[in-house]
Amino acid sequence: MKKLNKLVSGFCLAMLGMLMLTGCEGSEIYKVGAPNWLDDKLDSIANSKTPEVGLYSIGTTSLNAPFWTLGKSHVVPAGGTLEMIINLTVNPDNKYYKNFYTVITNDVSINPRGGGYYEYGVMRYDNDRTKNSEWGDIFTDTDRDNYISGNFTNTSGADDIDDTVQGMNGLVKVTVDRSNGGLTIKYEGENFTKTYSRPDLVNHNPEPTNENIRVTLGVEGSFVNVIESNIDPVDDTKDYEPISMTLKAPKKVLVATPLSDIISAISAEVDFGEGGIKTVTGEKLTINVVPDLNSIGTKTIVAAYNKTSKGEAAKKAVVSSIQLEVVDKMYTLLGAADNSTPFFGARSGLVKIAPNETFITTFTNYTAGGSNWENYLVVLSKGDLTLGADGEYAVLRADNFGWGNGYGTCTATCSHSDWAAWLAAMNGGKVTVQVTNNGDGTADVEAVTVGSDANIYTQTYKGITVSDPNDFYFSLTLEKAHLEFDGVLGNEDNTTPFFGAKSDPIKVPAGHTVTTRFRNYTNGGANWNNYLAVVCKADLTLGADGEYAVLRADNYGWGNGYGTCTAACDHTDWAAWLEAMNEGLVTLSVTNKGDGTADVKAVTLGSDGNTYTQTYTGITVDASDVNFYLTMEGAHIVFE
């Protein structure tokens, strides 16, 4: 076991590397603000002619390593302390996050990425209070300012560039201290220090008697040479044969999609037994589709992998299969596509709308075109669907006509009088329906259609009587028509970059809730490869007072109003959640409480049949100007 008192011999390579990077002479670059642990060593390091190669390196010297490029793991027992010396080379593009980070996990030593794996959290070297400089359970469940300190704060703008980043270059001492029963993570560099300290750490190992943790360094767009460590890294020299493989693939693809596109969306978890579980990309698998991708229907993907845990040729390949649907349309359909569905012959699910809540849905309407009523219908009812009795408040046709117990009191208006032109324009018309439960025993409905002739047609129904505002539901049906929920935001191959596509902003009045629903699709690469909800002012001033909060799907966020909020979720298995988010049906509500705060709630019916809930409570806002829109990263959404 290497001891920390031998660290001086390992500094040589690090110092010489820094001198070459900076172009300075001697050791003067280290004199300003150097930590005490360097003070007595600088001259001997700078004058050394025989640099020692470090324990291992992380990343590439060309500084192009992707996120989650990890080094070796070090096991730290309860009561123990890990001390490491690293040499950090950051990227010259000055992106604030291109440095290094420490990953703290439980000690699943036999199967380090398999069953029972738990990630306490990740902390990077940078220290930006408005962005994700640290994440995970040990950071989100505490007050950040009470646990994290440092002698610097990054101030990167919307472009993520911070000119102080180059000051991170050089030798850094990394300490993970468990001696007091809690957890302290400390970075000490020449210019910057950062410390996270908490008084306790709950044991998340599968075996209660094992209180070890694993510490792993990682990089993105940077390079780290680990010079010394007082705890040797875990031995990963043994090679293991593959035992089994589990495939992950899209559930649906469009007909005639090239096989190469499908391969890029496929991955596999290969089980090497005591060698752990390794995620393998589709490009490293041998893949066939039976029978083909050129016709609609259920297909079978057959994949084989023939490498060991170290990438050598395996004695025997592992084979796995999974099914996918080849379709001609990726979106949801209500009613027969040939417009033959009879009156009330198809009906959407019920959506409950609470008092002072507005629900918004969008779809494309197609009609047989025989009569005005051969289009969609909006149904307002009680939850028991008692039609024609007290349960049916109103049935509203697309042509500004209706009936029901609550309909007689309402006022119906429309923006047009040429009904023949309207009927023709409804075939392929893009419809937005907005249903409001006023909470006072009345409801309003507005339907705005951008017709296939590019004209806008508006129908309103104001003052519908609602006998029980707490038992108010909305659904869609039709007659000789069909509806396609095809409002797509983002690239359907899930390549949309961060903030690469945005919906129009929706206003949320004071004392009111606005709800929308959409199906989320993700490339599955990381938790943040999903939708984002942005609560903002109407002028969309990002990064300034206009952006109250940017809220990721995985219960994390930032923004001027985010710091006051409480983020909570009802689940901890983030791997299962991420998989379930692909084709998950999300109901997202934004509430302007009228007191200077806003709440956001997202309830997802996952593709695994489970329900996942995220809440953000107490976002600071200007109650007179609250809006929200949706965006994404590595994902796309389809409104329903």
Side-chain angles (χ1 to χ4, degrees):
M1 188 76 70
K2 291 185 172 68
K3 302 299 181 182
L4 202 61
N5 58 17
K6 295 183 180 179
L7 288 175
V8 61
S9 65
F11 287 170
C12 305
L13 178 64
M15 173 58 79
L16 294 180
M18 274 298 293
L19 295 178
M20 288 185 288
L21 284 170
T22 61
C24 296
E25 296 181 0
S27 60
E28 292 306 313
I29 185 172
Y30 296 102
K31 290 296 186 182
V32 179
N36 292 335
W37 56 275
L38 279 176
D39 287 348
D40 298 331
K41 311 298 181 182
L42 296 179
D43 292 339
S44 61
I45 294 171
N47 295 328
S48 175
K49 304 299 183 182
T50 58
E52 175 184 318
V53 176
L55 295 176
Y56 59 90
S57 62
I58 314 169
T60 63
T61 55
S62 55
L63 304 179
N64 60 357
F67 177 70
W68 216 245
T69 299
L70 300 177
K72 298 180 181 181
S73 296
H74 301 254
V75 176
V76 183
T81 299
L82 169 67
E83 295 177 306
M84 306 171 69
I85 299 295
I86 70 171
N87 186 33
L88 171 66
T89 304
V90 300
N91 201 296
D93 67 6
N94 284 343
K95 296 289 187 178
Y96 77 96
Y97 52 84
K98 291 185 178 179
N99 47 80
F100 79 94
Y101 44 88
T102 302
V103 184
I104 308 294
T105 67
N106 63 351
D107 180 24
V108 186
S109 57
I110 299 256
N111 201 355
R113 293 296 182 266
Y117 173 81
Y118 176 82
E119 192 173 287
Y120 289 96
V122 183
M123 185 172 90
R124 280 203 314 260
Y125 192 13
D126 54 89
N127 193 23
D128 194 325
R129 296 303 175 96
T130 66
K131 298 182 178 178
N132 56 329
S133 293
E134 54 277 328
W135 61 91
D137 290 350
I138 59 175
F139 300 108
T140 58
D141 63 359
T142 60
D143 179 356
R144 184 186 190 281
D145 289 334
N146 287 339
Y147 290 86
I148 292 182
S149 60
N151 68 346
F152 72 107
T153 299
N154 291 103
T155 55
S156 56
D159 59 2
D160 291 338
I161 292 177
D162 181 355
D163 291 337
T164 67
V165 164
Q166 294 304 309
M168 295 181 179
N169 269 313
L171 297 174
V172 182
K173 182 181 180 182
V174 178
T175 303
V176 179
D177 186 354
R178 304 186 64 200
S179 61
N180 63 355
L183 174 67
T184 297
I185 308 169
K186 189 173 184 179
Y187 303 149
E188 298 173 273
E190 180 201 356
N191 300 298
F192 300 145
T193 64
K194 181 179 179 181
T195 302
Y196 166 80
S197 184
R198 61 180 292 147
D200 60 348
L201 187 69
V202 178
N203 181 19
H204 282 280
N205 281 301
E207 305 83 14
T209 57
N210 180 6
E211 298 184 30
N212 297 340
I213 63 171
R214 284 185 177 234
V215 178
T216 310
L217 300 187
V219 301
E220 177 180 7
S222 60
F223 179 74
V224 160
N225 189 23
V226 178
I227 305 299
E228 278 285 2
S229 170
N230 69 322
I231 297 178
D232 285 335
V234 176
D235 181 13
D236 57 1
T237 59
K238 189 175 180 180
D239 203 4
Y240 296 88
E241 291 287 320
I243 296 174
S244 63
M245 177 172 66
T246 302
L247 284 179
K248 292 185 178 181
K251 295 188 176 182
K252 293 191 294 186
V253 297
L254 290 171
V255 65
T257 298
L259 179 59
S260 59
D261 290 353
I262 296 177
I263 289 175
S264 65
I266 291 175
S267 64
E269 288 187 348
V270 181
D271 189 347
F272 295 97
E274 291 187 1
I277 293 178
K278 179 180 179 182
T279 299
V280 176
T281 60
E283 291 80 2
K284 296 179 180 179
L285 304 172
T286 301
I287 293 177
N288 289 287
V289 179
V290 181
D292 57 53
L293 295 169
N294 298 318
S295 60
I296 296 172
T298 302
K299 313 293 179 177
T300 300
I301 297 175
V302 180
Y305 184 70
N306 64 347
K307 299 292 184 182
T308 65
S309 61
K310 294 182 66 176
E312 304 295 335
K315 296 177 181 177
K316 183 179 179 180
V318 287
V319 179
S320 183
S321 64
I322 193 171
Q323 289 187 327
L324 83 162
E325 294 293 322
V326 176
V327 297
D328 60 348
K329 295 177 180 178
M330 293 294 285
Y331 37 81
T332 306
L333 202 70
L334 183 66
D338 62 359
N339 298 318
S340 62
T341 304
F343 178 63
F344 268 70
R347 189 165 182 174
S348 70
L350 290 174
V351 176
K352 183 173 185 178
I353 304 177
N356 299 310
E357 180 178 7
T358 297
F359 181 82
I360 299 174
T361 186
T362 61
F363 54 87
T364 302
N365 181 89
Y366 293 92
T367 171
S371 301
N372 285 359
W373 53 84
E374 294 177 355
N375 286 288
Y376 71 88
L377 298 100
V378 172
V379 182
L380 308 181
S381 67
K382 288 188 176 182
D384 61 5
L385 293 177
T386 312
L387 301 182
D390 289 342
E392 185 181 88
Y393 299 120
V395 179
L396 310 174
R397 288 192 336 206
D399 60 340
N400 219 225
F401 179 78
W403 60 88
N405 291 325
Y407 181 78
T409 59
C410 87
T411 301
T413 62
C414 62
S415 63
H416 51 278
S417 57
D418 188 342
W419 288 98
W422 170 86
L423 181 57
M426 287 300 290
N427 193 42
K430 303 290 185 180
V431 184
T432 299
V433 173
Q434 184 170 293
V435 182
T436 301
N437 179 353
N438 294 317
D440 60 357
T442 67
D444 300 334
V445 176
E446 180 181 79
V448 179
T449 302
V450 179
S452 56
D453 60 358
N455 291 321
I456 296 176
Y457 301 88
T458 302
Q459 325 272 353
T460 61
Y461 303 85
K462 300 285 188 180
I464 301 165
T465 298
V466 176
S467 60
D468 185 356
N470 294 307
D471 189 5
F472 181 79
Y473 290 79
F474 152 79
S475 61
L476 290 168
T477 184
L478 44 89
E479 180 178 5
K480 290 188 177 180
H482 76 278
L483 314 181
E484 293 181 352
F485 297 92
D486 56 357
V488 179
L489 185 67
N491 302 330
E492 292 188 65
D493 61 358
N494 297 320
T495 59
T496 307
F498 180 62
F499 269 66
K502 302 175 187 176
S503 68
D504 293 330
I506 300 170
K507 184 174 179 60
V508 185
H512 209 78
T513 298
V514 175
T515 301
T516 190
R517 189 167 67 173
F518 54 89
R519 201 164 291 276
N520 181 87
Y521 296 85
T522 170
N523 64 19
N527 286 359
W528 52 84
N529 292 142
N530 286 288
Y531 74 88
L532 299 99
V534 181
V535 183
C536 60
K537 288 189 173 182
D539 63 4
L540 299 179
T541 310
L542 300 181
D545 290 340
E547 186 181 87
Y548 301 121
V550 179
L551 308 174
R552 288 194 334 207
D554 60 337
N555 222 222
Y556 179 81
W558 60 88
N560 293 318
Y562 180 79
T564 59
C565 89
T566 300
C569 62
D570 63 353
H571 51 277
T572 57
D573 189 343
W574 288 100
W577 169 86
L578 179 58
E579 186 170 355
M581 285 300 291
N582 193 40
E583 296 194 43
L585 183 60
V586 183
T587 300
L588 187 137
S589 302
V590 179
T591 300
N592 180 352
K593 298 171 72 174
D595 61 358
T597 66
D599 299 341
V600 177
K601 182 177 182 179
V603 179
T604 301
L605 176 60
S607 56
D608 59 358
N610 294 321
T611 299
Y612 301 87
T613 302
Q614 325 272 356
T615 58
Y616 303 86
T617 305
I619 301 167
T620 301
V621 297
D622 176 353
S624 66
D625 190 3
V626 176
N627 305 264
F628 77 95
Y629 66 88
L630 295 168
T631 182
M632 75 287 297
E633 179 179 6
H636 78 280
I637 63 177
V638 181
F639 291 96
E640 293 200 0

